[in-house]
Amino acid sequence: MKDDKGLLIVLSGPAGVGKGTVCGALREKDTNIEYSVSATTRSPRPGEEHGVNYFFHSKEEFEKMIEEGRLLEWAQYVDNYYGTPLDYVKETIDRGKDIILEIEVQGAEKVKERYPEGTFIFLMPPSLAELRNRIVGRGTETSELIDKRMTVAKNEIDMMQMYDYVVENDEIDKAVSRIRSIVTAEHCKQERLIEKYKELAEVE
Amino acid sequence: MKDDKGLLIVLSGPAGVGKGTVCGALREKDTNIEYSVSATTRSPRPGEEHGVNYFFHSKEEFEKMIEEGRLLEWAQYVDNYYGTPLDYVKETIDRGKDIILEIEVQGAEKVKERYPEGTFIFLMPPSLAELRNRIVGRGTETSELIDKRMTVAKNEIDMMQMYDYVVENDEIDKAVSRIRSIVTAEHCKQERLIEKYKELAEVE
């Protein structure tokens, strides 16, 4: 049994944590999860297809999408816009398919505002995971290095707050397996299932 | 990385749903989960060991445990008491080990009162899962049978409300795999991990 609606899974984390690599490995393993296709104003590169790699739009079209609130989030890099089309995400979810969005932390914050019922996963660098061992370790770290690590840790903890789950990217396979477990668990959540059964049994 | 505290996992569901079978299969697959040992006033059977099969107590000892609030839940069947020792559960969790408690719904309700931070899993009979298909099916069901199913469904939905997760017991292996996913996901929950990191990084 499965609830009827898909999940919006938002995978984010600090720059360089390996979001793309983990997402790629997940895509290979789990064919039940769809991948969000971004909208952009940049020109297609050879071989890129509209609706597969990106939704390609003119600057005017994109700005109209922004105005009409048809983007879950968007950002401008150099001269081009990039964003996540809300319609595409909603259609996928309504079809009962899970969709994953791999995105920078600033984008994830915007998605959280517009779609708080999403499943927000923070991919954590092993450096933070190793924090404890190193700090409580053999006292071989210089205090300068410890201070530096503390600052990094503090920033990452601040970022973590809005997420539902924290997944350590120590090994890609382990990270992928944890994410798949989270998706399974989310589909077993009582709140998601009971609503369906209430409808079916017509009880209040 | 793992949070330091173990989980109390409470597996319950309607009589006859297969809690014991699923729990037994989980025990074979997952050696990281410990199984709660019950306290009882019944006499040990040949081969049964104190602290392994049960904690065997006299009636007086058991009643003292009840008075002192040292049982997570307890019940009386015929002439004997049965219950879950709170100390054993707490010690296991504090050691960072997950512990699973397989229990009737009435017992699960009592555990929820005393330990609401547990992970409560409702094992659902396939009959309820099949409700939809049958009801919206080919109209081959008599209305009496549909009414009967509806009553059962209504009761089961009422029971479900206090649980965190609902797992269908369609196939034992699938049910076990879902429970293991839930345990993994619970360990990745942001609230559990962030507290640990805040302590480590000494930020507030």
Side-chain angles (χ1 to χ4, degrees):
Chain A
M1 186 204 64
K2 218 178 153 237
D3 50 335
D4 290 328
K5 258 189 137 186
L7 301 167
L8 171 61
I9 305 146
V10 178
L11 183 68
S12 190
V17 70
K19 296 186 284 292
T21 314
V22 167
C23 219
L26 185 65
R27 190 194 283 247
E28 271 178 36
K29 270 254 170 76
D30 201 324
T31 49
N32 283 317
I33 302 177
E34 295 211 2
Y35 293 80
S36 175
V37 177
S38 297
T40 185
T41 55
R42 81 153 168 75
S43 307
R45 289 174 193 151
E48 283 185 345
E49 275 179 61
H50 182 81
V52 176
N53 305 90
Y54 281 97
F55 293 108
F56 296 101
H57 293 282
S58 68
K59 205 175 167 186
E60 293 67 36
E61 285 170 342
F62 203 102
E63 286 171 350
K64 205 178 162 214
M65 288 169 84
I66 296 173
E67 265 172 50
E68 294 175 354
R70 286 165 54 209
L71 294 164
L72 202 46
E73 55 79 39
W74 60 274
Q76 202 166 8
Y77 297 110
V78 196
D79 279 340
N80 286 306
Y81 287 117
Y82 293 83
T84 306
L86 188 58
D87 286 353
Y88 182 77
V89 167
K90 280 201 169 159
E91 278 162 23
T92 309
I93 289 168
D94 288 344
R95 275 193 290 121
K97 269 281 191 183
D98 300 328
I99 185 165
I100 194 164
L101 184 55
E102 174 220 325
I103 197 170
E104 299 302 321
V105 284
Q106 289 80 5
E109 273 174 39
K110 290 181 195 162
V111 177
K112 180 83 178 181
E113 280 167 30
R114 301 213 44 190
Y115 202 89
E117 64 271 43
T119 301
F120 290 78
I121 303 175
F122 184 87
L123 198 62
M124 186 174 66
S127 63
L128 185 53
E130 282 167 25
L131 187 67
R132 172 181 211 168
N133 300 330
R134 301 207 177 187
I135 289 167
V136 301
R138 305 186 193 93
T140 51
E141 301 277 8
T142 65
S143 68
E144 198 191 343
L145 201 61
I146 291 177
D147 286 350
K148 206 174 147 193
R149 285 228 172 79
M150 287 306 192
T151 307
V152 172
K154 193 180 176 322
N155 292 341
E156 282 169 350
I157 289 164
D158 285 346
M159 283 191 233
M160 255 185 219
Q161 314 250 24
M162 59 152 256
Y163 292 80
D164 301 302
Y165 298 97
V166 175
V167 165
E168 183 191 345
N169 188 18
D170 49 349
E171 287 173 39
I172 292 164
D173 285 352
K174 284 189 186 171
V176 166
S177 158
R178 287 177 197 124
I179 293 168
R180 298 185 70 190
S181 288
I182 289 167
V183 172
T184 299
E186 282 286 319
H187 279 295
C188 291
K189 275 205 169 163
Q190 182 258 114
E191 309 90 71
R192 290 176 63 89
L193 294 168
I194 204 162
E195 286 310 313
K196 179 177 166 186
Y197 280 102
K198 277 188 179 170
E199 268 174 47
L200 293 175
E202 294 172 334
V203 293
E204 212 52 280
Chain B
M1 188 204 60
K2 219 178 151 234
D3 50 336
D4 290 329
K5 260 189 135 187
L7 301 167
L8 170 61
I9 305 147
V10 178
L11 183 68
S12 191
V17 70
K19 296 186 282 294
T21 314
V22 167
C23 220
L26 185 63
R27 190 194 283 247
E28 272 179 35
K29 271 254 170 78
D30 201 324
T31 49
N32 282 317
I33 301 176
E34 295 211 3
Y35 293 80
S36 177
V37 178
S38 296
T40 184
T41 55
R42 81 153 167 76
S43 306
R45 290 174 193 150
E48 282 186 345
E49 276 179 60
H50 181 81
V52 177
N53 306 91
Y54 282 97
F55 293 107
F56 296 102
H57 293 281
S58 68
K59 206 176 166 185
E60 293 66 36
E61 285 171 341
F62 202 103
E63 286 170 349
K64 205 178 163 213
M65 287 171 83
I66 296 173
E67 265 173 48
E68 295 175 352
R70 285 166 53 206
L71 293 164
L72 202 46
E73 56 78 39
W74 61 273
Q76 203 166 8
Y77 297 110
V78 197
D79 278 340
N80 285 308
Y81 287 117
Y82 294 82
T84 306
L86 189 57
D87 287 352
Y88 182 77
V89 167
K90 280 201 170 159
E91 278 161 23
T92 310
I93 289 169
D94 288 343
R95 276 194 289 121
K97 269 281 191 183
D98 300 328
I99 185 165
I100 194 163
L101 185 55
E102 174 220 325
I103 197 169
E104 299 302 320
V105 286
Q106 290 79 5
E109 272 173 40
K110 289 181 195 164
V111 177
K112 180 85 179 179
E113 280 167 28
R114 301 213 42 192
Y115 202 88
E117 63 271 43
T119 301
F120 290 78
I121 303 175
F122 184 87
L123 199 63
M124 188 175 65
S127 62
L128 184 54
E130 282 167 27
L131 187 67
R132 173 182 211 166
N133 301 330
R134 302 209 176 183
I135 290 167
V136 300
R138 304 188 193 91
T140 51
E141 303 277 6
T142 66
S143 66
E144 198 190 342
L145 202 59
I146 291 177
D147 286 350
K148 207 174 146 194
R149 286 229 171 79
M150 286 306 191
T151 307
V152 172
K154 193 180 176 322
N155 292 341
E156 283 170 348
I157 289 165
D158 284 345
M159 283 191 234
M160 253 185 220
Q161 314 250 24
M162 60 153 254
Y163 292 81
D164 301 302
Y165 297 96
V166 176
V167 165
E168 183 191 345
N169 189 18
D170 49 350
E171 286 173 41
I172 292 164
D173 285 352
K174 283 188 186 172
V176 167
S177 158
R178 287 177 198 125
I179 293 168
R180 297 186 71 191
S181 289
I182 289 167
V183 172
T184 300
E186 283 286 322
H187 278 295
C188 292
K189 275 203 172 165
Q190 182 259 114
E191 308 91 72
R192 291 176 63 89
L193 295 169
I194 204 163
E195 285 310 315
K196 181 178 164 187
Y197 280 101
K198 276 188 180 170
E199 268 174 46
L200 294 176
E202 293 172 334
V203 294
E204 212 51 280

